[in-house]
């Protein structure tokens, strides 16, 4: 059983650019959640996808968007990058989108915006 | 508004002793809680969870206690080992949205 994987590991972009981060969910999981973790903070919920539909969103602007594919892998897209977008981006998968269902995290993608 | 708070940014404990990590929450809609451990350059790893219908859950060296009236939970690690040194996050699930809300983390250092 493979765990959650994310790519790339690190990324450097400049302000105004666009970025796409990728996540492969754990085998058997159909729900993917994305989080932003700034330095010294806990992960902040961006959004969740369940069976290719957005299933909840945190307090992030529309320039943060996502996709989930039929194989349940997912992408996070961020447009018009700002310096404050520099953070660790974590993807987590779970079997279903529900209370009590444990999310399993990938290693994260560290994004630096210059 | 920080709905899940971990007020101790760091904690040092001698090997073999008990580590107690604390977490407070404000939202009464939270009814499922989890603890995650995070090593540098890795994603958070699930450790233990507890439903609000329980006040204690135990898994080996790890025990989580929940005090609903005080909106407080704690993670006990006994005995602490140097490999337990990591950042520990508590998380709560909002039963209305199923969103995970994380605290800011406590860095535990277990001294050999």
């Amino acid at each position: 059983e493979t765990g959650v994987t994310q790519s790339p590991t690190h990324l450097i972009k400049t302000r105004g650019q666009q970025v796409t981060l990728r996540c492969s969910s754990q085998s058997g999981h159909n729900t993917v959640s994305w989080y932003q973790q700034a330095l010294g903070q806990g992960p902040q919920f961006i959004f969740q996808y369940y069976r290719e539909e957005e299933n909840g969103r945190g307090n992030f602007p529309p320039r943060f968007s996502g996709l989930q594919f039929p194989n349940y892998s997912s992408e996070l897209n961020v447009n018009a990058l700002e310096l404050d977008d520099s953070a660790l981006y974590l993807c987590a998968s779970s079997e279903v989108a529900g209370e009590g269902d444990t999310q399993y995290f990938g290693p994260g993608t560290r994004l630096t915006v210059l | 508004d920080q709905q899940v708070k971990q007020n101790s940014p760091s904690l040092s404990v001698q090997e073999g002793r008990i580590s107690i990590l604390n977490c407070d929450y404000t939202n009464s809609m939270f009814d499922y809680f989890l603890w995650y451990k995070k090593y540098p350059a890795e994603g958070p790893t699930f450790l233990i969870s507890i439903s609000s219908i329980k006040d204690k859950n135990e898994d080996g060296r790890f025990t989580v206690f929940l005090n609903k009236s005080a909106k407080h939970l704690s993670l006990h690690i006994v005995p602490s080992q140097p490999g337990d040194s990591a950042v520990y996050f508590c998380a709560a699930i909002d039963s209305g949205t199923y969103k995970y809300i994380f605290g800011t983390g406590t860095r535990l250092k277990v001294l050999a």
Side-chain angles (χ1 to χ4, degrees):
Chain A
E1 182 180 275
T2 52
V4 180
T5 60
Q6 292 186 245
S7 64
T9 308
H10 296 89
L11 203 49
I12 299 175
K13 291 283 189 179
T14 56
R15 264 189 313 176
Q17 285 189 309
Q18 179 265 343
V19 70
T20 297
L21 310 181
R22 294 180 174 83
C23 171
S24 291
S25 57
Q26 188 165 310
S27 176
H29 289 184
N30 58 23
T31 302
V32 172
S33 303
W34 284 92
Y35 294 84
Q36 180 195 67
Q37 186 179 7
L39 205 60
Q41 300 295 317
Q44 299 290 313
F45 176 74
I46 302 175
F47 43 57
Q48 183 181 82
Y49 279 83
Y50 171 63
R51 292 190 173 178
E52 302 177 61
E53 298 284 331
E54 188 177 289
N55 186 46
R57 191 177 181 94
N59 296 325
F60 281 81
R63 58 190 185 83
F64 286 77
S65 63
L67 277 176
Q68 188 180 32
F69 300 100
N71 66 355
Y72 303 131
S73 66
S74 177
E75 283 181 359
L76 164 66
N77 298 291
V78 188
N79 293 323
L81 283 167
E82 300 176 1
L83 296 179
D84 284 350
D85 295 333
S86 296
L88 179 69
Y89 288 85
L90 294 161
C91 160
S93 73
S94 54
E95 282 189 41
V96 291
E99 177 187 304
D101 196 56
T102 302
Q103 294 186 1
Y104 295 89
F105 284 82
T109 293
R110 184 159 298 281
L111 173 65
T112 302
V113 182
L114 302 175
Chain B
D1 178 30
Q2 192 72 27
Q3 297 185 72
V4 177
K5 298 178 186 178
Q6 293 177 256
N7 291 318
S8 298
S10 63
L11 176 68
S12 289
V13 170
Q14 281 298 129
E15 182 179 7
R17 307 293 288 267
I18 184 171
S19 295
I20 301 176
L21 297 102
N22 294 304
C23 180
D24 296 294
Y25 62 97
T26 57
N27 191 336
S28 58
M29 293 296 287
F30 294 157
D31 58 4
Y32 198 86
F33 304 89
L34 309 94
W35 283 93
Y36 283 82
K37 178 170 73 172
K38 188 178 186 300
Y39 293 117
E42 294 183 14
T45 303
F46 170 71
L47 207 52
I48 192 168
S49 62
I50 187 166
S51 164
S52 61
I53 61 173
K54 295 185 173 182
D55 55 18
K56 178 182 173 181
N57 189 25
E58 210 170 335
D59 183 2
R61 297 186 298 114
F62 303 92
T63 303
V64 55
F65 295 92
L66 176 62
N67 181 334
K68 277 186 68 179
S69 59
K71 294 193 176 72
H72 176 84
L73 65 155
S74 60
L75 174 68
H76 293 209
I77 306 173
V78 182
S80 300
Q81 298 172 354
D84 296 330
S85 297
V87 178
Y88 289 78
F89 292 98
C90 71
I93 299 181
D94 183 324
S95 60
T97 64
Y98 302 135
K99 282 195 304 189
Y100 276 45
I101 311 295
F102 281 84
T104 52
T106 296
R107 183 177 299 280
L108 173 66
K109 189 170 184 180
V110 180
L111 307 168

Short mmCIF file of all heavy atoms in Angstrom, two decimals, chain A residues 35 37 40-45 48 55 57-58 88 90 97-108, chain B residues 2 31-32 34 36 38 41-46 49 51 89 93 95 97-105:
data_model
loop_
_atom_site.label_atom_id
_atom_site.label_comp_id
_atom_site.label_asym_id
_atom_site.label_seq_id
_atom_site.Cartn_x
_atom_site.Cartn_y
_atom_site.Cartn_z
N TYR A 35 -3.61 21.74 2.61
CA TYR A 35 -3.34 22.64 3.72
C TYR A 35 -2.13 23.50 3.39
O TYR A 35 -1.21 23.07 2.69
CB TYR A 35 -3.01 21.84 5.00
CG TYR A 35 -4.17 21.04 5.53
CD1 TYR A 35 -4.46 19.78 5.03
CD2 TYR A 35 -4.98 21.54 6.55
CE1 TYR A 35 -5.53 19.04 5.51
CE2 TYR A 35 -6.05 20.81 7.04
CZ TYR A 35 -6.31 19.55 6.51
OH TYR A 35 -7.36 18.83 7.00
N GLN A 37 0.90 25.43 5.45
CA GLN A 37 1.52 25.58 6.76
C GLN A 37 2.62 26.62 6.68
O GLN A 37 3.69 26.37 6.11
CB GLN A 37 2.08 24.26 7.27
CG GLN A 37 2.60 24.37 8.70
CD GLN A 37 3.15 23.08 9.26
OE1 GLN A 37 3.28 22.09 8.55
NE2 GLN A 37 3.47 23.09 10.53
N GLY A 40 6.07 28.21 11.78
CA GLY A 40 5.65 28.41 13.16
C GLY A 40 4.16 28.28 13.39
O GLY A 40 3.67 28.54 14.49
N GLN A 41 3.43 27.88 12.37
CA GLN A 41 1.97 27.75 12.48
C GLN A 41 1.55 26.31 12.25
O GLN A 41 2.32 25.50 11.72
CB GLN A 41 1.28 28.64 11.45
CG GLN A 41 1.61 30.12 11.60
CD GLN A 41 1.09 30.68 12.89
OE1 GLN A 41 -0.04 30.42 13.31
NE2 GLN A 41 1.93 31.46 13.57
N GLY A 42 0.31 26.00 12.61
CA GLY A 42 -0.25 24.71 12.25
C GLY A 42 -0.79 24.74 10.83
O GLY A 42 -0.94 25.81 10.24
N PRO A 43 -1.04 23.58 10.26
CA PRO A 43 -1.62 23.55 8.91
C PRO A 43 -2.98 24.25 8.88
O PRO A 43 -3.79 24.08 9.76
CB PRO A 43 -1.77 22.04 8.65
CG PRO A 43 -0.79 21.38 9.56
CD PRO A 43 -0.75 22.24 10.79
N GLN A 44 -3.18 25.07 7.85
CA GLN A 44 -4.45 25.77 7.65
C GLN A 44 -5.17 25.14 6.46
O GLN A 44 -4.60 25.02 5.37
CB GLN A 44 -4.20 27.25 7.36
CG GLN A 44 -3.48 27.99 8.49
CD GLN A 44 -4.35 28.17 9.70
OE1 GLN A 44 -5.49 28.58 9.61
NE2 GLN A 44 -3.79 27.84 10.88
N PHE A 45 -6.43 24.79 6.66
CA PHE A 45 -7.23 24.12 5.63
C PHE A 45 -7.48 25.05 4.45
O PHE A 45 -7.98 26.16 4.62
CB PHE A 45 -8.54 23.67 6.27
CG PHE A 45 -9.53 23.04 5.34
CD1 PHE A 45 -9.32 21.76 4.86
CD2 PHE A 45 -10.66 23.73 4.94
CE1 PHE A 45 -10.25 21.16 4.02
CE2 PHE A 45 -11.59 23.14 4.09
CZ PHE A 45 -11.38 21.85 3.63
N GLN A 48 -11.05 20.83 0.25
CA GLN A 48 -11.12 19.38 0.21
C GLN A 48 -11.86 18.95 -1.05
O GLN A 48 -12.83 19.59 -1.47
CB GLN A 48 -11.86 18.85 1.44
CG GLN A 48 -11.93 17.34 1.53
CD GLN A 48 -12.70 16.88 2.75
OE1 GLN A 48 -13.93 16.84 2.76
NE2 GLN A 48 -11.97 16.54 3.80
N ASN A 55 -15.47 19.89 -1.75
CA ASN A 55 -16.33 19.46 -0.66
C ASN A 55 -16.11 20.31 0.59
O ASN A 55 -16.30 19.87 1.70
CB ASN A 55 -16.03 18.00 -0.34
CG ASN A 55 -16.97 17.41 0.69
OD1 ASN A 55 -18.17 17.59 0.62
ND2 ASN A 55 -16.42 16.74 1.69
N ARG A 57 -14.23 24.46 1.78
CA ARG A 57 -13.17 25.41 1.50
C ARG A 57 -12.90 26.25 2.74
O ARG A 57 -13.83 26.63 3.45
CB ARG A 57 -13.59 26.32 0.35
CG ARG A 57 -12.48 27.17 -0.19
CD ARG A 57 -12.93 28.00 -1.39
NE ARG A 57 -11.81 28.78 -1.87
CZ ARG A 57 -10.99 28.42 -2.84
NH1 ARG A 57 -11.19 27.28 -3.46
NH2 ARG A 57 -9.98 29.19 -3.21
N GLY A 58 -11.63 26.53 2.96
CA GLY A 58 -11.23 27.41 4.06
C GLY A 58 -11.19 28.85 3.60
O GLY A 58 -11.66 29.20 2.53
N LEU A 88 4.80 25.71 3.44
CA LEU A 88 4.77 24.28 3.14
C LEU A 88 3.33 23.93 2.78
O LEU A 88 2.42 24.24 3.54
CB LEU A 88 5.24 23.48 4.36
CG LEU A 88 5.25 21.96 4.22
CD1 LEU A 88 6.33 21.52 3.25
CD2 LEU A 88 5.47 21.31 5.59
N LEU A 90 0.68 21.03 2.21
CA LEU A 90 0.47 19.62 2.56
C LEU A 90 -0.81 19.11 1.93
O LEU A 90 -1.83 19.80 1.90
CB LEU A 90 0.37 19.47 4.08
CG LEU A 90 1.63 19.78 4.88
CD1 LEU A 90 1.29 20.04 6.33
CD2 LEU A 90 2.61 18.63 4.77
N ALA A 97 -14.96 11.46 3.18
CA ALA A 97 -15.00 12.80 3.77
C ALA A 97 -15.98 12.76 4.91
O ALA A 97 -17.16 13.00 4.74
CB ALA A 97 -15.44 13.81 2.73
N GLY A 98 -15.52 12.44 6.08
CA GLY A 98 -16.47 12.33 7.17
C GLY A 98 -15.82 12.46 8.53
O GLY A 98 -14.61 12.33 8.69
N GLU A 99 -16.67 12.67 9.49
CA GLU A 99 -16.21 12.79 10.86
C GLU A 99 -15.57 11.49 11.30
O GLU A 99 -16.05 10.41 11.00
CB GLU A 99 -17.42 13.10 11.73
CG GLU A 99 -17.15 13.18 13.20
CD GLU A 99 -18.44 13.33 13.96
OE1 GLU A 99 -19.17 14.27 13.66
OE2 GLU A 99 -18.73 12.49 14.82
N GLY A 100 -14.46 11.63 11.99
CA GLY A 100 -13.80 10.45 12.52
C GLY A 100 -12.93 9.74 11.52
O GLY A 100 -12.33 8.73 11.84
N ASP A 101 -12.85 10.26 10.30
CA ASP A 101 -12.03 9.60 9.31
C ASP A 101 -10.65 10.23 9.31
O ASP A 101 -10.51 11.42 9.08
CB ASP A 101 -12.68 9.72 7.94
CG ASP A 101 -12.07 8.74 6.98
OD1 ASP A 101 -12.08 7.53 7.28
OD2 ASP A 101 -11.56 9.16 5.95
N THR A 102 -9.65 9.42 9.55
CA THR A 102 -8.30 9.94 9.73
C THR A 102 -7.69 10.35 8.40
O THR A 102 -7.80 9.63 7.41
CB THR A 102 -7.42 8.87 10.39
OG1 THR A 102 -8.02 8.52 11.64
CG2 THR A 102 -6.01 9.39 10.62
N GLN A 103 -7.07 11.51 8.38
CA GLN A 103 -6.35 11.97 7.20
C GLN A 103 -4.88 11.60 7.31
O GLN A 103 -4.28 11.73 8.37
CB GLN A 103 -6.50 13.49 7.05
CG GLN A 103 -7.93 13.91 6.77
CD GLN A 103 -8.06 15.38 6.48
OE1 GLN A 103 -7.08 16.11 6.45
NE2 GLN A 103 -9.28 15.83 6.23
N TYR A 104 -4.34 11.15 6.21
CA TYR A 104 -2.93 10.77 6.14
C TYR A 104 -2.22 11.75 5.23
O TYR A 104 -2.64 11.97 4.10
CB TYR A 104 -2.78 9.33 5.65
CG TYR A 104 -3.39 8.35 6.62
CD1 TYR A 104 -4.73 7.98 6.54
CD2 TYR A 104 -2.62 7.82 7.66
CE1 TYR A 104 -5.28 7.11 7.47
CE2 TYR A 104 -3.16 6.94 8.58
CZ TYR A 104 -4.49 6.60 8.49
OH TYR A 104 -5.05 5.75 9.41
N PHE A 105 -1.12 12.30 5.74
CA PHE A 105 -0.45 13.40 5.06
C PHE A 105 0.72 12.94 4.21
O PHE A 105 1.43 11.98 4.53
CB PHE A 105 0.06 14.41 6.09
CG PHE A 105 -1.01 15.28 6.66
CD1 PHE A 105 -1.81 14.83 7.70
CD2 PHE A 105 -1.24 16.55 6.15
CE1 PHE A 105 -2.81 15.62 8.23
CE2 PHE A 105 -2.24 17.36 6.68
CZ PHE A 105 -3.02 16.90 7.71
N GLY A 106 0.93 13.70 3.13
CA GLY A 106 2.15 13.56 2.35
C GLY A 106 3.26 14.37 2.97
O GLY A 106 3.06 15.08 3.96
N PRO A 107 4.46 14.31 2.37
CA PRO A 107 5.62 15.01 2.93
C PRO A 107 5.59 16.51 2.70
O PRO A 107 6.35 17.24 3.33
CB PRO A 107 6.80 14.36 2.21
CG PRO A 107 6.23 13.89 0.92
CD PRO A 107 4.82 13.50 1.20
N GLY A 108 4.75 16.97 1.78
CA GLY A 108 4.63 18.41 1.55
C GLY A 108 5.49 18.92 0.41
O GLY A 108 6.45 18.27 -0.03
N GLN B 2 -8.24 31.84 16.82
CA GLN B 2 -7.63 30.51 16.91
C GLN B 2 -8.58 29.60 17.68
O GLN B 2 -8.72 29.72 18.89
CB GLN B 2 -6.27 30.66 17.62
CG GLN B 2 -5.39 29.45 17.55
CD GLN B 2 -4.81 29.20 16.17
OE1 GLN B 2 -4.63 30.12 15.40
NE2 GLN B 2 -4.54 27.96 15.85
N ASP B 31 -16.19 17.52 17.73
CA ASP B 31 -16.47 16.33 18.52
C ASP B 31 -15.59 15.14 18.16
O ASP B 31 -15.89 14.01 18.51
CB ASP B 31 -17.95 15.96 18.47
CG ASP B 31 -18.43 15.72 17.06
OD1 ASP B 31 -17.59 15.76 16.13
OD2 ASP B 31 -19.62 15.49 16.87
N TYR B 32 -14.51 15.42 17.45
CA TYR B 32 -13.52 14.38 17.21
C TYR B 32 -12.17 15.06 17.15
O TYR B 32 -12.03 16.10 16.50
CB TYR B 32 -13.82 13.66 15.89
CG TYR B 32 -13.14 12.32 15.77
CD1 TYR B 32 -13.74 11.18 16.29
CD2 TYR B 32 -11.92 12.20 15.12
CE1 TYR B 32 -13.13 9.94 16.18
CE2 TYR B 32 -11.32 10.96 15.01
CZ TYR B 32 -11.92 9.84 15.53
OH TYR B 32 -11.32 8.62 15.44
N LEU B 34 -7.71 14.69 17.14
CA LEU B 34 -6.58 13.85 16.74
C LEU B 34 -5.28 14.52 17.16
O LEU B 34 -5.20 15.74 17.29
CB LEU B 34 -6.56 13.66 15.21
CG LEU B 34 -7.85 13.19 14.54
CD1 LEU B 34 -8.66 14.38 14.03
CD2 LEU B 34 -7.54 12.25 13.38
N TYR B 36 -1.23 14.61 15.89
CA TYR B 36 -0.27 14.28 14.84
C TYR B 36 1.12 14.64 15.34
O TYR B 36 1.30 15.59 16.09
CB TYR B 36 -0.56 15.06 13.57
CG TYR B 36 -1.72 14.56 12.74
CD1 TYR B 36 -3.04 14.91 13.07
CD2 TYR B 36 -1.51 13.74 11.64
CE1 TYR B 36 -4.10 14.45 12.31
CE2 TYR B 36 -2.58 13.27 10.87
CZ TYR B 36 -3.85 13.63 11.22
OH TYR B 36 -4.91 13.17 10.46
N LYS B 38 5.06 15.51 13.89
CA LYS B 38 5.73 15.94 12.66
C LYS B 38 7.23 16.06 12.87
O LYS B 38 7.69 16.83 13.72
CB LYS B 38 5.15 17.27 12.18
CG LYS B 38 5.67 17.68 10.80
CD LYS B 38 5.06 18.98 10.35
CE LYS B 38 5.46 19.30 8.91
NZ LYS B 38 6.91 19.43 8.74
N ALA B 41 10.97 18.05 7.59
CA ALA B 41 10.97 17.58 6.20
C ALA B 41 10.03 16.41 5.95
O ALA B 41 10.15 15.72 4.92
CB ALA B 41 12.39 17.21 5.75
N GLU B 42 9.11 16.17 6.86
CA GLU B 42 8.09 15.14 6.64
C GLU B 42 6.72 15.74 6.89
O GLU B 42 6.58 16.76 7.58
CB GLU B 42 8.30 13.95 7.58
CG GLU B 42 9.58 13.18 7.32
CD GLU B 42 9.70 11.97 8.25
OE1 GLU B 42 8.69 11.59 8.88
OE2 GLU B 42 10.81 11.41 8.33
N GLY B 43 5.69 15.09 6.35
CA GLY B 43 4.33 15.52 6.66
C GLY B 43 3.92 15.03 8.03
O GLY B 43 4.56 14.15 8.61
N PRO B 44 2.85 15.60 8.60
CA PRO B 44 2.36 15.12 9.89
C PRO B 44 1.96 13.64 9.82
O PRO B 44 1.39 13.20 8.83
CB PRO B 44 1.14 15.99 10.15
CG PRO B 44 1.34 17.21 9.31
CD PRO B 44 2.07 16.73 8.10
N THR B 45 2.26 12.92 10.88
CA THR B 45 1.92 11.49 10.97
C THR B 45 0.87 11.31 12.06
O THR B 45 1.05 11.78 13.19
CB THR B 45 3.16 10.66 11.34
OG1 THR B 45 4.17 10.90 10.37
CG2 THR B 45 2.83 9.18 11.39
N PHE B 46 -0.21 10.63 11.72
CA PHE B 46 -1.28 10.39 12.69
C PHE B 46 -0.78 9.57 13.87
O PHE B 46 -0.06 8.58 13.69
CB PHE B 46 -2.44 9.66 12.00
CG PHE B 46 -3.48 9.16 12.95
CD1 PHE B 46 -4.31 10.04 13.61
CD2 PHE B 46 -3.61 7.80 13.22
CE1 PHE B 46 -5.26 9.58 14.51
CE2 PHE B 46 -4.55 7.33 14.10
CZ PHE B 46 -5.38 8.22 14.75
N SER B 49 -6.36 9.28 18.21
CA SER B 49 -7.56 10.12 18.12
C SER B 49 -8.52 9.79 19.26
O SER B 49 -8.36 8.78 19.96
CB SER B 49 -8.25 9.91 16.77
OG SER B 49 -8.67 8.57 16.63
N SER B 51 -12.91 10.35 20.22
CA SER B 51 -14.24 10.87 19.97
C SER B 51 -14.75 11.55 21.23
O SER B 51 -14.35 11.18 22.34
CB SER B 51 -15.17 9.73 19.58
OG SER B 51 -16.51 10.12 19.68
N PHE B 89 1.01 18.26 16.88
CA PHE B 89 -0.15 19.10 16.58
C PHE B 89 -1.40 18.40 17.07
O PHE B 89 -1.58 17.20 16.83
CB PHE B 89 -0.29 19.32 15.08
CG PHE B 89 0.78 20.15 14.47
CD1 PHE B 89 1.87 19.58 13.83
CD2 PHE B 89 0.70 21.54 14.52
CE1 PHE B 89 2.86 20.36 13.25
CE2 PHE B 89 1.69 22.33 13.95
CZ PHE B 89 2.77 21.74 13.32
N ILE B 93 -12.00 18.13 14.48
CA ILE B 93 -12.84 18.06 13.29
C ILE B 93 -14.15 18.79 13.57
O ILE B 93 -14.84 18.49 14.55
CB ILE B 93 -13.13 16.61 12.87
CG1 ILE B 93 -11.82 15.89 12.54
CG2 ILE B 93 -14.04 16.59 11.64
CD1 ILE B 93 -12.02 14.45 12.09
N SER B 95 -17.73 19.15 13.10
CA SER B 95 -18.72 18.15 12.69
C SER B 95 -19.69 18.70 11.64
O SER B 95 -20.39 17.93 10.99
CB SER B 95 -19.50 17.65 13.90
OG SER B 95 -20.18 18.71 14.54
N THR B 97 -18.66 20.79 8.99
CA THR B 97 -17.98 20.89 7.70
C THR B 97 -16.98 19.78 7.44
O THR B 97 -16.46 19.66 6.34
CB THR B 97 -17.23 22.23 7.61
OG1 THR B 97 -16.20 22.23 8.63
CG2 THR B 97 -18.15 23.42 7.83
N TYR B 98 -16.66 19.00 8.47
CA TYR B 98 -15.63 17.97 8.42
C TYR B 98 -14.24 18.55 8.17
O TYR B 98 -13.33 17.83 7.79
CB TYR B 98 -15.95 16.89 7.38
CG TYR B 98 -17.27 16.21 7.64
CD1 TYR B 98 -18.16 15.99 6.61
CD2 TYR B 98 -17.63 15.81 8.91
CE1 TYR B 98 -19.38 15.38 6.84
CE2 TYR B 98 -18.85 15.21 9.16
CZ TYR B 98 -19.71 15.00 8.11
OH TYR B 98 -20.92 14.39 8.34
N LYS B 99 -14.08 19.84 8.39
CA LYS B 99 -12.75 20.44 8.25
C LYS B 99 -11.90 20.11 9.47
O LYS B 99 -12.39 20.07 10.59
CB LYS B 99 -12.87 21.96 8.16
CG LYS B 99 -13.31 22.47 6.82
CD LYS B 99 -13.07 23.96 6.65
CE LYS B 99 -13.71 24.80 7.70
NZ LYS B 99 -13.65 26.23 7.38
N TYR B 100 -10.63 19.88 9.22
CA TYR B 100 -9.67 19.72 10.29
C TYR B 100 -9.16 21.10 10.67
O TYR B 100 -8.71 21.86 9.81
CB TYR B 100 -8.47 18.89 9.84
CG TYR B 100 -8.64 17.39 9.89
CD1 TYR B 100 -9.78 16.74 9.43
CD2 TYR B 100 -7.60 16.59 10.38
CE1 TYR B 100 -9.89 15.36 9.48
CE2 TYR B 100 -7.70 15.21 10.42
CZ TYR B 100 -8.85 14.61 9.97
OH TYR B 100 -8.95 13.24 10.01
N ILE B 101 -9.18 21.41 11.96
CA ILE B 101 -8.62 22.66 12.46
C ILE B 101 -7.44 22.29 13.35
O ILE B 101 -7.59 21.54 14.33
CB ILE B 101 -9.64 23.45 13.30
CG1 ILE B 101 -10.98 23.58 12.56
CG2 ILE B 101 -9.07 24.82 13.67
CD1 ILE B 101 -10.93 24.39 11.29
N PHE B 102 -6.27 22.80 13.00
CA PHE B 102 -5.05 22.43 13.72
C PHE B 102 -4.65 23.52 14.70
O PHE B 102 -4.86 24.71 14.47
CB PHE B 102 -3.89 22.24 12.73
CG PHE B 102 -3.92 20.91 12.02
CD1 PHE B 102 -4.69 20.75 10.88
CD2 PHE B 102 -3.17 19.85 12.49
CE1 PHE B 102 -4.72 19.53 10.22
CE2 PHE B 102 -3.19 18.63 11.83
CZ PHE B 102 -3.96 18.47 10.70
N GLY B 103 -4.00 23.09 15.78
CA GLY B 103 -3.32 24.01 16.66
C GLY B 103 -1.98 24.40 16.07
O GLY B 103 -1.60 23.93 14.99
N THR B 104 -1.23 25.25 16.77
CA THR B 104 0.03 25.77 16.25
C THR B 104 1.21 24.86 16.54
O THR B 104 2.30 25.10 16.05
CB THR B 104 0.33 27.16 16.82
OG1 THR B 104 0.24 27.08 18.25
CG2 THR B 104 -0.65 28.19 16.29
N GLY B 105 0.98 23.81 17.33
CA GLY B 105 2.03 22.85 17.56
C GLY B 105 2.84 23.09 18.83
O GLY B 105 2.98 24.22 19.29
#
